[in-house]
Amino acid sequence: MIDYQKILSQNMIGVLIDVLEEIKEHGINQNQLYITFLTKHESVKIPNWLIKKYPKEMTIVIQFEYYNLKINKKNFSITLSFNDIKTELKIGYSSIISFADPSVNFGLILQNRKIEKKLNKNLDKDKSKEDNIINFSKYKKNQSK
């Protein structure tokens, strides 16, 4: 049986890798890249203080200040500043839930079954906490020029 979901997910990760390669080669310019990933996924290496702050998932923004972007076959690493503390993150592609560039109204949700199972397993039933959903309509590019 053809696993269309797996093929689609691999190709969407390929899009992210191409975007990261573009950023590495040419810079981010006016774009901004939001990447949401599972913080406790086995392919993620981030400091414990970030895991405590974001125990399930985290969204990083690659925009103005980033360093040491390295792209590998299974993951990428990047250094970002959190409250003026430069921190290296290693993020496996298999941990990524979604990525988007609201400056051009583009985004992809990765529908990987493994990610969905882990996400559903780790979510609290307490819905009173703030959602980590980004409403991209707030970030639409101003067309009135």
Side-chain angles (χ1 to χ4, degrees), residues 16-26 69 71-72:
L16 173 60
I17 292 169
D18 289 348
V19 169
L20 291 171
E21 291 283 357
E22 183 79 16
I23 291 169
K24 184 175 180 177
E25 190 173 326
H26 301 289
L69 177 58
I71 301 149
N72 302 302

Side-chain angles (χ1 to χ4, degrees), residues 10 18 30 49 52 57 78 80-81 96-97 139:
Q10 288 171 342
D18 289 348
Q30 294 113 328
W49 61 270
K52 286 179 184 175
E57 64 184 56
I78 190 166
L80 297 174
S81 182
I96 297 174
I97 299 166
Y139 301 100

Side-chain angles (χ1 to χ4, degrees), residues 41-58:
H41 192 276
E42 64 267 9
S43 69
V44 171
K45 292 194 179 18
I46 61 174
N48 284 334
W49 61 270
L50 275 176
I51 292 173
K52 286 179 184 175
K53 191 170 182 176
Y54 304 99
K56 295 176 187 118
E57 64 184 56
M58 178 179 182

Side-chain angles (χ1 to χ4, degrees), residues 4 32 54 63 66 86-87 96 105:
Y4 288 100
Q32 48 193 297
Y54 304 99
Q63 188 173 15
Y66 62 93
K86 288 184 181 175
T87 306
I96 297 174
N105 204 24

